[in-house]
Amino acid sequence: MEKRKAFTLRQIVDRLGGELVGAPGVRINQVASLENAQCGQISFLAQARNAVQLKTTRASAVILGMDAQNATDLPRIVCKNPYAYYAAVTGLLNPQPRPRAGIHKSANVDKSARISKSAHIGANVVVARDVRIGVDCVISPGCVIGEGTSIGAGTRLYPNVTVYHGCRIGERCIVLRHSPMEQPSKLNGTVAQRKTCRKNANISRLLHELSV
């Protein structure tokens, strides 16, 4: 069995941003909940009511919001959105193989759409008029991308995500199908800022943009 790749906390922060507090050389090879984490794993605190678990967790490090940065003496990464950061670390530690570039024969792509030759467009994807899809993007099966939407380089949309017209998604983002957002939404840094997309934009939970 192949040994799982590990990253030091310093390497993680250098790649994903955030403020490192504590030993930079702590090695992390997986993510886990505060309750179940073991040595070599990193967890996160998203809600204050779970702060008591910081006293008993076996995690080697934790991800905390700015308001909780002094809640533990464990090595920690402090950031604006612990949930989003945890998702980015999950992707870093568990990289998915990138599918082959090209457009699946069952995809419905408007002829005005501008799609990078290195992008992957999966089965039954619908791409509307004037959409722009950047270099190395992965649009998974069943996604629907509305008119005039722009998707930055290296972004991955997981299966069955619906992005309504006029949305802007930045570079190296992860978008999962989760729940509709009823206000205008934009990926900006580690937070979903409600500024850019049209109302009732059914963008799924917007997790993380590495290019701040």
Side-chain angles (χ1 to χ4, degrees):
M1 184 176 179
E2 185 179 352
K3 186 177 180 181
R4 182 182 296 276
K5 185 175 181 179
F7 292 84
T8 66
L9 290 177
R10 171 53 62 194
Q11 289 172 327
I12 292 173
V13 169
D14 286 346
R15 288 174 180 243
L16 304 181
E19 178 185 355
L20 175 58
V21 180
V26 171
R27 297 183 68 81
I28 301 297
N29 58 34
Q30 192 49 283
V31 296
S33 67
L34 285 170
E35 182 180 4
N36 298 318
Q38 302 295 322
C39 182
Q41 298 179 335
I42 190 169
S43 188
F44 78 110
L45 177 69
Q47 298 179 333
R49 67 171 180 260
N50 296 326
V52 65
Q53 295 181 357
L54 289 171
K55 297 180 180 179
T56 58
T57 186
R58 297 182 179 179
S60 292
V62 291
I63 301 164
L64 302 176
M66 295 180 176
D67 58 342
Q69 59 184 311
N70 297 319
T72 181
D73 291 329
L74 286 170
R76 54 205 181 272
I77 297 172
V78 180
C79 60
K80 292 181 180 179
N81 188 331
Y83 180 85
Y85 200 100
Y86 181 80
V89 174
T90 300
L92 179 65
L93 297 174
N94 303 277
Q96 292 195 352
R98 189 181 181 283
R100 183 179 300 178
I103 300 174
H104 193 276
K105 62 182 180 181
S106 66
N108 184 352
V109 179
D110 189 271
K111 62 182 180 181
S112 66
R114 296 171 58 183
I115 300 174
S116 170
K117 292 182 179 180
S118 64
H120 169 84
I121 308 298
N124 301 313
V125 168
V126 176
V127 179
R129 187 174 65 180
D130 297 328
V131 167
R132 296 185 180 186
I133 297 177
V135 173
D136 293 336
C137 286
V138 175
I139 312 299
S140 301
C143 289
V144 178
I145 304 174
E147 179 179 339
T149 288
S150 174
I151 301 176
T155 286
R156 179 186 287 262
L157 272 60
Y158 278 74
N160 302 315
V161 167
T162 297
V163 182
Y164 274 36
H165 60 281
C167 294
R168 300 290 181 268
I169 301 177
E171 296 183 352
R172 297 187 293 280
C173 299
I174 299 171
V175 185
L176 303 179
R177 184 177 185 273
H178 187 76
S179 60
M181 297 181 68
E182 295 184 353
Q183 298 294 328
S185 304
K186 178 186 178 182
L187 267 183
N188 182 20
T190 58
V191 219
Q193 300 288 346
R194 296 182 174 184
K195 291 181 180 178
T196 298
C197 298
R198 304 288 179 89
K199 203 165 186 177
N200 296 321
N202 187 19
I203 292 187
S204 305
R205 185 175 297 275
L206 304 179
L207 293 183
H208 191 71
E209 178 179 355
L210 302 185
S211 297
V212 178

